[in-house]
Amino acid sequence: RRQRATPYLFSQQDICRLLAEARRLRHPMRAASYEALFGLLAVSGMRIGEAVALERADVDLDARLITIRKAKGDRVRLVPLHPTAAEALRAYPSERDRMCPTARSRAFFLSSAGTPVLEESLRKTFREITTLLGIRTQTVQPRIHDLRHRFAVQTLIDCYRTGVKIDERIPVLSTYLGHVSPSDTYWYLSA
């Protein structure tokens, strides 16, 4: 069938190092946005385009719910957040509004210019940070999408370890990830 890139399975330590390095980025607004974005991608399994397209009204941290209005296939879907994820993300909007009180956009994640974070800028920064951390080498080429992959695989592993039958959870995980068909989610078992 189609050829898929070999995913890099981020460890919890890798993710903590990624977030710590994002926090050290030169411009404070950029640092806050990228740390929050990488963190959200790691704990929610959202697609990159979905995350950067979020507007302020799409993120309800009190309800711990994100509304993705531009999901794949032009659908709307809801992404519930674990209480710890919502709490970790809670500091970002106040930091963002303090650093950028006159934002030129309704985007949830802002660049240092007060405009939406661009997907290509996010990818470039991810490449720079993973290279700096020694995660990216000539033979290992992690992608931001691998954070989504890790989320899916870790969810399946957690199901297995707690005795939950994976076949019973695949439809739930499939819906959560925004897959059209559970067969798309089964790929994470083989990968």
Side-chain angles (χ1 to χ4, degrees):
R1 299 207 200 154
R2 67 181 176 180
Q3 188 78 353
R4 294 189 191 236
T6 302
Y8 177 82
L9 287 179
F10 282 87
S11 68
Q12 186 63 36
Q13 181 184 8
D14 289 337
I15 292 171
C16 290
R17 291 173 57 217
L18 174 70
L19 299 181
E21 202 56 45
R23 198 175 310 124
R24 287 189 197 88
L25 290 170
R26 192 176 313 230
H27 193 284
M29 183 72 227
R30 186 170 177 247
S33 293
Y34 283 48
E35 178 188 12
L37 250 168
F38 291 142
L40 177 63
L41 291 169
V43 300
S44 71
M46 289 174 63
R47 294 177 180 96
I48 304 154
E50 294 170 341
V52 296
L54 289 174
E55 293 187 358
R56 293 169 190 232
D58 299 334
V59 181
D60 185 342
L61 295 173
D62 293 328
R64 299 189 318 258
L65 189 67
I66 293 177
T67 303
I68 300 174
R69 299 187 194 288
K70 299 173 184 173
K72 193 172 184 177
D74 202 29
R75 293 174 293 136
V76 174
R77 71 184 174 99
L78 302 176
V79 176
L81 293 175
H82 189 273
T84 58
E87 191 56 39
L89 195 55
R90 190 173 300 284
Y92 175 73
S94 58
E95 278 186 77
R96 175 200 63 210
D97 295 345
R98 180 182 53 78
M99 289 187 276
C100 192
T102 56
R104 301 183 303 191
S105 171
R106 293 180 295 166
F108 186 76
F109 294 108
L110 295 179
S111 70
S112 53
T115 57
V117 170
L118 299 176
E119 199 171 318
E120 186 49 42
S121 297
L122 187 66
R123 288 180 195 281
K124 180 179 181 237
T125 302
F126 180 81
R127 284 190 301 270
E128 290 169 1
I129 290 175
T130 54
T131 299
L132 180 70
L133 294 174
I135 295 170
R136 176 178 301 275
T137 65
Q138 286 190 351
T139 56
V140 177
Q141 302 286 315
R143 303 161 302 139
I144 296 177
H145 186 78
D146 294 340
L147 294 172
R148 175 177 164 86
H149 188 95
R150 184 220 189 249
F151 173 84
V153 169
Q154 192 61 51
T155 299
L156 295 172
I157 290 170
D158 291 345
C159 288
Y160 176 76
R161 286 185 177 153
T162 58
V164 175
K165 293 182 180 177
I166 290 177
D167 282 349
E168 293 174 3
R169 290 296 177 163
I170 286 284
V172 174
L173 181 59
S174 184
T175 300
Y176 187 87
L177 291 171
H179 289 155
V180 174
S181 168
S183 64
D184 295 332
T185 311
Y186 273 100
W187 180 75
Y188 293 108
L189 287 173
S190 63

